[in-house]
Amino acid sequence: MNKILKWTSASVLILVMSGCATNRDPSDELSSLESQYNQLAAQGFVAEYAPVALKEAEETIAKAKKLEEKREDKSLISHQQYLAKLKLDTALEIAKQKRAEAAIGNAEVRRKDALLSAKEREANALRNRAETAEYNVTQLEATAREMSAKADALAKTLEDFSAKQSERGLVLTMGNILFELNKSDLKPGAERTLEKVAAFLAEYANRSVLVEGFTDGLGSADYNQTLSEKRAEAVVAELKRLGISSSRLSAKGYGEDYPVASNSTDAGRQQNRRVELIIANQDQTAVAPRQR
Amino acid sequence: MNMHRGKQFFAISAIVMGLTACVSAGDPPEQLLSEAKLDVKVAKEAGAAEHAPLALRSAESKLQEAESAINQKEYKAAVLLLEKSLANSALAVAQAQAAKSEAAAKEVDASINTLNQVLREE
């Protein structure tokens, strides 16, 4: 009987040691587990994404704690602790997985957002360009009106001078005031007129200017052509002398072409004998040629 | 004579009570065993060999130990070993799935960053 008892207790001891041994003091391990649990619980995403797994870990820790308080067998306590450690790690992994899945789900939204933002940027850019263009047009119109008004004011102070806005630019028409009949050199009085014109041109310094000469229908076409060219060039020369940059100026003659009145009356012929000075519009680099 | 027998009986029952934690008694834990075997398989299929090798190895070794404990009719010990194996398998699965999901999320993130870059360059 004694032998059997001894054998049983010996094998029990071996069993206890092989199946349930642990390296660490159970109460140290328990604190470590509790602190690990607290750390996980503190990180919002674990509670958010793995609440069940976290609870399970908590319950296992509580079980281990209870066993310790009841001074149960160390092997039982350390078994619970072993499980608790694994369950804490598992809770963290599950939370990481769910969080990653949420991010993937979110990706579709982010993709749409990115495309939407790009469309918005595009729309804004277009709107800005349109607004700028609109503003620019308004500016152009305002400047054109201002120039026209100034030209009108100028016209009031001069004889034989009119101003009119056209597609090709602002047209200043000057008549007999500049030249004697059949002459291409400027009359003495012309200087005063052209001084005022030069002053006006100086205010719009970046505009191209085309001087066009015209004659009435009397005389040969060739003669009239030459005369009109010489007159246009005379005006250009005078404007240069008055300080207008030559790069802005050009001269052209049209002879008896483009009459503005009938050549069969004196009054009509007088009207046709003219010089037109065209100031290019703000958005044009040069005055557009006449369509023959 | 009677006293001596009484003492022995008391001693034996004391030992028996003390042994309830770790002494083999009752039926072999068949259900738990098949669960543990299945979970190791599941863990492997989830990619635990690549993403959770330590947990997988622990799950497998605890299972083996449990099987030999069962062979030696040490069922209580076997139960504890099987519980350990199951907990390791659960961790192995979770680790493997987390690794895969995080890798996928990273890829998606990168593709959206690329998209944003491309859109901004337009």
Side-chain angles (χ1 to χ4, degrees), chain B residues 90-103:
Chain B
L91 177 59
V93 166
Q95 273 179 321
Q97 286 179 336
K100 286 183 189 171
S101 294
E102 286 187 330

Side-chain angles (χ1 to χ4, degrees), chain A residues 1 5 8 12 15 20 79 82-83 86 89-90 93-94 96-97 100-101 104 107 110-111 114-115 118 121, chain B residues 8 15 19 22 62 80 83-84 87-88 91 94-95 97-98 101-102 104-105 108-109 112 115-116 119-120:
Chain A
M1 219 29 154
L5 268 172
T8 315
V12 161
L15 219 69
C20 318
H79 176 71
Y82 180 96
L83 296 180
L86 289 171
D89 292 343
T90 303
E93 293 301 313
I94 292 175
K96 279 154 86 176
Q97 179 205 347
E101 285 173 3
I104 292 168
R110 287 172 64 199
R111 205 189 304 272
L115 291 169
R121 277 199 299 277
Chain B
Q8 274 182 343
I15 290 166
L19 288 178
C22 290
K62 295 297 174 201
L80 297 179
E83 285 179 3
K84 286 183 165 84
N88 275 299
L91 177 59
Q95 273 179 321
Q97 286 179 336
S101 294
E102 286 187 330
V108 164
D109 210 46
I112 291 182
L115 177 65
N116 270 324
L119 289 176
R120 266 176 227 283

Side-chain angles (χ1 to χ4, degrees), chain A residues 26-62:
Chain A
S27 51
D28 279 349
E29 177 65 14
L30 191 62
S31 318
S32 161
L33 287 170
E34 283 180 322
S35 125
Q36 189 184 349
Y37 172 81
N38 287 333
Q39 275 178 8
L40 285 185
Q43 295 184 64
F45 84 97
V46 179
E48 187 188 344
Y49 290 114
V52 172
L54 191 60
K55 189 99 179 68
E56 220 181 285
E58 189 197 17
E59 282 166 4
T60 312
I61 295 172

Side-chain angles (χ1 to χ4, degrees), chain B residues 34-48 56 59-60 63 89 93:
Chain B
S34 50
E35 253 185 68
K37 283 181 179 172
L38 179 63
D39 281 10
V40 164
K41 198 165 166 215
V42 167
K44 282 179 178 166
E45 280 164 14
L56 178 61
E60 285 174 313
L63 175 58
S89 293
V93 166

Side-chain angles (χ1 to χ4, degrees), chain A residues 121-167:
Chain A
R121 277 199 299 277
E122 207 184 310
N124 281 341
L126 281 172
R127 190 181 27 249
N128 282 340
R129 280 202 291 277
E131 280 173 358
T132 308
E134 213 180 292
Y135 175 77
N136 288 343
V137 165
T138 311
Q139 285 292 92
L140 282 175
E141 286 172 358
T143 310
R145 276 197 297 275
E146 183 193 278
M147 198 165 99
S148 212
K150 283 195 172 152
D152 287 342
L154 182 64
K156 286 199 169 88
T157 69
L158 297 170
E159 271 182 57
D160 214 0
F161 186 102
S162 67
K164 189 176 169 185
Q165 188 65 46
S166 81
E167 277 160 12

